[in-house]
Amino acid sequence: MKISRMHDQPGPVFSFEFFPPKTQKSADQLMATVAELKEMIDPDFVSVTYGAGGTTRERTLQCVARIQRELKITSMAHLTCVGHDRAELRRIGGLLAEDGIENILVLRGDPPKGEEQFVQAQGGFAHASDLAGFLREEFQFDLGGACYPEAHPESKTVADDMEWTAKKVTNGVTFLTTQLFFENRTYWSFVERARKAGIKVPIVPGIMPITNVGQIERFTKMCGAGLPPELADRLDRCREDPATVMAIGIEHAVLQCRELLERGAPGIHFYTLNKSPATCAIMAALRQI
Ligand code: FAD
């Protein structure tokens, strides 16, 4: 099913993001995790990220196809501009379409490990909006895009950031998913600015349940998302106690999601990091609202 059709129906759309497995064994584990999630949560759709190169890219394509075919859950493939020319992107689009995948999250992508900057592939694209325009011309996919409540780290100004976000929509993106954030006012002020800039598509908040302090510190540093000082202090005091960290992470995410949904956010996209317990606990709490 096309994701924009899900958003046309009443009620929030819940989605869950996974990264591709490294081995056949972890591919089977991932299928088991997603099956468990289906049993407990009944996701509207799941998505699988796209690596910067190598075999994991093929695994993304295999995973979305398997999840949709074997588990009967709508799946969205992430696709980036990194290292691909138009012919390769056309080939990948063709493979996904053949497998019955109807949704793609179009991204520029982050540079491969060890490289500082994104480099446009010869014959490829420099920006997610260009990839969106290309896929819209060539295929019938429903296209999603990324957006950044705290602005993308490479954007020179907040206004620039919004201009390029709007261009994704002009070029065919029908829904946006935000980078992770921990303070809802960041999301609401972004949505307000986006609406003023003429962006009308659903803007789905991306939530990453905190389960490990070192990991969340690395992620927030990398993507420029702020950890509120009070939350950072609480986490710091129990960084060596995984059960307490997870409890704080779940409590914070539940509060965030409740407020977002009560104020009319169109759904929640969970960055699961391939682990289901925290996400399932959050969803269980939300369903008891
Ligand atoms: P773009 O929209 O191209 O923006 C990148 C930068 O260029 C921004 O600073 C923007 O303001 C600027 N820009 C955009 N268009 C123009 C233009 N026309 N002229 C000048 N400047 C411009 N990464 C992966 O590698 N794989 C994944 O699977 C993946 N999944 C993600 C899922 C979500 C929900 C999110 C939020 C991010 C994901 N990322 C993923 C990370 C993403 O690839 C990085 O944040 C990347 O640095 C930017 O990608 P983008 O699609 O937002 O790029």
Side-chain angles (χ1 to χ4, degrees), residues 137-193:
E137 287 288 312
E138 302 255 338
F139 298 97
Q140 309 290 320
F141 296 113
D142 205 359
L143 303 175
C147 63
Y148 302 85
E150 295 167 83
H152 184 271
E154 291 168 41
S155 293
K156 289 198 184 72
T157 65
V158 167
D160 272 1
D161 193 83
M162 191 58 78
E163 182 178 342
W164 305 127
T165 305
K167 193 165 179 208
K168 294 184 197 190
V169 178
T170 311
N171 285 7
V173 158
T174 59
F175 63 96
L176 290 163
T177 303
T178 77
Q179 184 58 279
L180 56 98
F181 62 92
F182 295 98
E183 286 191 281
N184 287 358
R185 62 191 156 93
T186 327
Y187 168 81
W188 293 117
S189 101
F190 176 79
V191 171
E192 194 182 330
R193 287 187 289 109

Side-chain angles (χ1 to χ4, degrees), residues 51-67:
T55 52
T56 71
R57 294 185 144 187
E58 292 303 321
R59 289 222 167 81
T60 297
L61 310 184
Q62 289 159 6
C63 256
V64 284
R66 270 190 81 185
I67 291 170

Side-chain angles (χ1 to χ4, degrees), residues 17-18 20 47-52 57 76-82 105-111 118 126-130 145-148 151-157 160-165 167-168 176-180 206 223 269 271:
E17 179 176 310
F18 294 89
S47 77
V48 183
T49 63
Y50 199 69
R57 294 185 144 187
M76 172 171 78
H78 296 207
L79 183 60
T80 73
C81 306
V82 177
L105 188 70
V106 288
L107 299 145
R108 183 199 71 181
D110 280 326
F118 168 85
H127 309 293
S129 53
D130 299 331
C147 63
Y148 302 85
H152 184 271
E154 291 168 41
S155 293
K156 289 198 184 72
T157 65
D160 272 1
D161 193 83
M162 191 58 78
E163 182 178 342
W164 305 127
T165 305
K167 193 165 179 208
K168 294 184 197 190
L176 290 163
T177 303
T178 77
Q179 184 58 279
L180 56 98
C223 73
H269 181 74
Y271 296 102

